[in-house]
Amino acid sequence: MLTLCNLLEADDRKISFIKKGFFDNDEHNYRRLLMGLVETTKSQEIFEKSLEVIAGGVNSPVRAFIGLGVDPLIAEKGEGDTIWDAEGKSYIDYCMSWGAMLLGHAPPSVVMKAKSRMEKGSSFGIATEIEEQLAREIVTLVPSIEKLRFVSSGTEATMTAVRVARGYTGRPYIVKFNGNYHGHADPFLIRAGSAVSQISHESSSQGVPNDIVKHTISLPYNDVEKVRELFCDPEYGSQIAAVIVEPIAANMGVVPATKEFLKVLREETDRMGTVLIFDEVISGFRVGLEGAQGQYGIFPDMTCLGKIIGGGFPAAAFGGKKEIMDTLAPTGGVFQAGTLSGNPVAMAAGLETLDLAQQEGFYELIADKTKLITEPLQMALKDRDLDACLQETVGMFTLFWGVRSVEKFEDLQELDHDRFKTFFRYLLNEGVYFSPSPYEACFVSAVHTEDHLIKTRDLIIDFIRQV
């Protein structure tokens, strides 16, 4: 039997892992470490070195795979719908850089455009022609956007959109919805989705002063009556600068808004002179050329975009009506700036991605690929009468364990985390990489092959039958 003395006699590598606290909440890895059952792999060595110089060993928390019972993946390369880890093992990828890789990994024409642009210089800190070209393409494709500005991340886009809305209206309050994740800026970290859902009961974060979040009102998603009540409230109704919403929530799993919900948001914000912001960082150019707003036929005052518009490089944007966007410096008094905003390499990659997305039948192809997985799974879940459900839209889906339907964040209180962990490890062991959180979406790209989709479908059906 192993004792504390045995542990203290372990080599320095093992002790350093424990001192860094990585195994505090990970029973599988803790046991593996104590008992020395597995030889150190290249991925483990890389992660150990990362722990010495990167906070938590990762640059985004969900990458640490805490609580999943497996070591973090260390990606070596990607091609099409497949990634390879540091050991050379391949995985069919359904995370797709959290939805950014609409065309799969390393699409040849995007790589060519990016390389060609890099040869001319990768960054200047001054304006370039290709910024105008991509901006014009987006303005042409998305009817609600008359002007936009590029930034480097989705968080930066949503953060600045809210600042612009406050500057435009002169009002202090913003409204968001429980389980919607708009990045990690302070005003949004209250009852948020994504990996932050696992940090605290309120889905918030340490380090966010109450004086900041006191101006954020978070309501239940898809709750029409709560929206109407708030806008009729004599204290708050006329002081709301902006309502920001994911029209298709993807950071508490795929949870589409009801059309009635978005319709009421549009009606109430119009009535009170409030700016309606659609966060389409994920859904923009994934579900169609006009994003979710095109699917619903309901158009916001401002839209936030990201992921796909960078073609795999860091890029995002926020845009909307001219009179709102003209409040930005240098024409207005709302400040925003960024050295790498509109980076020409990202612009070139994004422009090529959008050009390819406009090919005839592109989104129909992605929808068909998605249904190749989802329709048989829906039937399998129904046949087994499980406490589980699958929710989807074009190019994205989530299999929820422990609940039969999800319309709002509160429906996830009975989510079966243990079942998800087992499911995730089962797929990973079979060479399939799903998004490593029960609160996230999985993504289907334009290049997922039929063989890989069928293999994934059959693996999941086998798992459902075993359950």
Side-chain angles (χ1 to χ4, degrees):
M1 180 176 178
L2 287 175
T3 65
L4 180 61
C5 291
N6 297 133
L7 173 60
L8 294 176
E9 291 170 358
D11 59 46
D12 292 338
R13 180 187 65 81
K14 294 179 180 180
I15 293 174
S16 70
F17 265 57
I18 292 172
K19 284 181 178 178
K20 292 180 176 69
F22 178 65
F23 296 109
D24 290 352
N25 300 307
D26 194 326
E27 181 181 355
H28 164 82
N29 281 318
Y30 189 62
R31 284 185 173 182
R32 175 182 59 75
L33 180 68
L34 289 178
M35 301 183 72
L37 296 177
V38 179
E39 291 295 322
T40 303
T41 65
K42 184 177 180 182
S43 292
Q44 291 163 7
E45 290 176 354
I46 292 170
F47 187 67
E48 176 189 353
K49 292 177 181 177
S50 296
L51 281 165
E52 295 173 356
V53 291
I54 298 174
V58 292
N59 288 304
S60 189
V62 73
R63 300 178 192 178
F65 288 16
I66 294 293
L68 290 177
V70 291
D71 297 307
L73 275 184
I74 305 295
E76 177 66 24
K77 66 174 183 176
E79 182 178 334
D81 65 356
T82 304
I83 57 174
W84 286 262
D85 67 12
E87 277 69 53
K89 182 177 179 179
S90 64
Y91 303 86
I92 307 168
D93 184 13
Y94 291 94
C95 182
M96 283 286 154
S97 192
W98 301 102
M101 312 311 297
L102 182 67
L103 306 176
H105 296 285
S109 64
V110 174
V111 171
M112 182 183 69
K113 293 286 185 179
K115 287 175 65 176
S116 176
R117 182 64 251 184
M118 286 182 67
E119 289 170 355
K120 298 177 182 179
S122 60
S123 180
F124 303 101
I126 52 178
T128 58
E129 182 181 13
I130 198 162
E131 296 168 64
E132 183 275 335
Q133 292 172 347
L134 181 55
R136 188 168 298 277
E137 191 83 350
I138 294 171
V139 167
T140 300
L141 293 171
V142 185
S144 68
I145 299 179
E146 296 175 340
K147 287 186 176 181
L148 61 78
R149 182 166 286 185
F150 290 113
V151 288
S152 297
S153 71
T155 292
E156 196 179 351
T158 54
M159 173 186 73
T160 315
V162 164
R163 182 184 301 162
V164 169
R166 281 176 165 152
Y168 176 71
T169 62
R171 301 173 182 177
Y173 290 101
I174 64 168
V175 176
K176 66 174 290 293
F177 297 92
N178 302 345
N180 280 205
Y181 177 72
H182 306 294
H184 65 269
D186 286 0
F188 302 130
L189 290 180
I190 173 173
R191 296 182 180 271
S194 190
V196 76
S197 299
Q198 297 165 301
I199 291 178
S200 74
H201 179 67
E202 294 296 322
S203 301
S204 189
S205 169
Q206 294 180 6
V208 179
N210 290 333
D211 283 346
I212 292 178
V213 296
K214 74 180 183 181
H215 291 116
T216 300
I217 301 167
S218 194
L219 300 178
Y221 189 65
N222 276 327
D223 192 325
V224 169
E225 292 309 313
K226 292 293 185 184
V227 171
R228 286 184 172 138
E229 286 175 16
L230 178 64
F231 275 95
C232 289
D233 186 285
E235 180 179 356
Y236 296 105
S238 63
Q239 295 300 308
I240 300 170
V243 172
I244 185 167
V245 63
E246 287 185 276
I248 299 175
N251 290 286
M252 55 175 167
V254 175
V255 185
T258 65
K259 188 164 187 177
E260 181 191 14
F261 176 64
L262 295 182
K263 184 171 178 287
V264 168
L265 289 183
R266 181 68 282 177
E267 290 171 353
E268 291 297 314
T269 52
D270 278 342
R271 183 174 68 86
M272 298 302 295
T274 298
V275 177
L276 178 60
I277 304 171
F278 276 9
D279 179 351
E280 298 225 43
V281 168
I282 289 178
S283 59
F285 299 112
R286 168 153 292 280
V287 300
L289 290 173
E290 294 183 1
Q293 56 196 265
Q295 279 194 344
Y296 285 97
I298 298 172
F299 297 94
D301 302 304
M302 297 184 73
T303 300
C304 299
L305 299 168
K307 297 186 184 293
I308 287 169
I309 68 167
F313 289 85
F318 62 97
K321 295 179 178 179
K322 291 179 182 179
E323 63 265 30
I324 296 175
M325 294 302 294
D326 284 343
T327 62
L328 277 163
T331 55
V334 178
F335 185 75
Q336 176 274 331
T339 299
L340 294 176
S341 296
N343 175 266
V345 179
M347 300 293 98
L351 186 59
E352 177 66 10
T353 298
L354 294 192
D355 285 347
L356 293 173
Q358 293 176 68
Q359 293 180 350
E360 186 176 355
F362 180 84
Y363 287 99
E364 290 79 4
L365 173 67
I366 292 180
D368 289 344
K369 288 176 181 287
T370 307
K371 289 184 182 298
L372 189 60
I373 284 185
T374 58
E375 287 184 346
L377 295 187
Q378 297 277 21
M379 294 177 61
L381 290 173
K382 184 178 179 180
D383 289 343
R384 294 286 290 172
D385 193 30
L386 294 178
D387 285 332
C389 65
L390 188 146
Q391 298 187 183
E392 64 176 303
T393 187
V394 178
M396 49 199 288
F397 66 91
T398 301
L399 180 52
F400 294 100
W401 297 103
V403 293
R404 291 182 179 249
S405 178
V406 182
E407 293 185 356
K408 56 187 182 296
F409 187 61
E410 290 74 11
D411 293 336
L412 297 174
Q413 297 307 306
E414 301 302 319
L415 204 63
D416 190 336
H417 291 263
D418 290 336
R419 180 63 51 78
F420 173 79
K421 294 171 188 176
T422 304
F423 175 65
F424 177 80
R425 292 196 297 262
Y426 163 78
L427 288 182
L428 195 69
N429 188 60
E430 296 292 340
V432 175
Y433 175 51
F434 263 31
S435 297
S437 167
Y439 294 98
E440 300 287 1
C442 290
F443 299 92
V444 178
S445 74
V447 297
H448 273 87
T449 67
E450 184 173 337
D451 286 348
H452 282 173
L453 293 167
I454 291 172
K455 174 184 176 179
T456 305
R457 176 198 71 191
D458 291 347
L459 284 169
I460 298 173
I461 289 174
D462 285 345
F463 183 87
I464 290 171
R465 287 172 178 165
Q466 292 171 29
V467 172

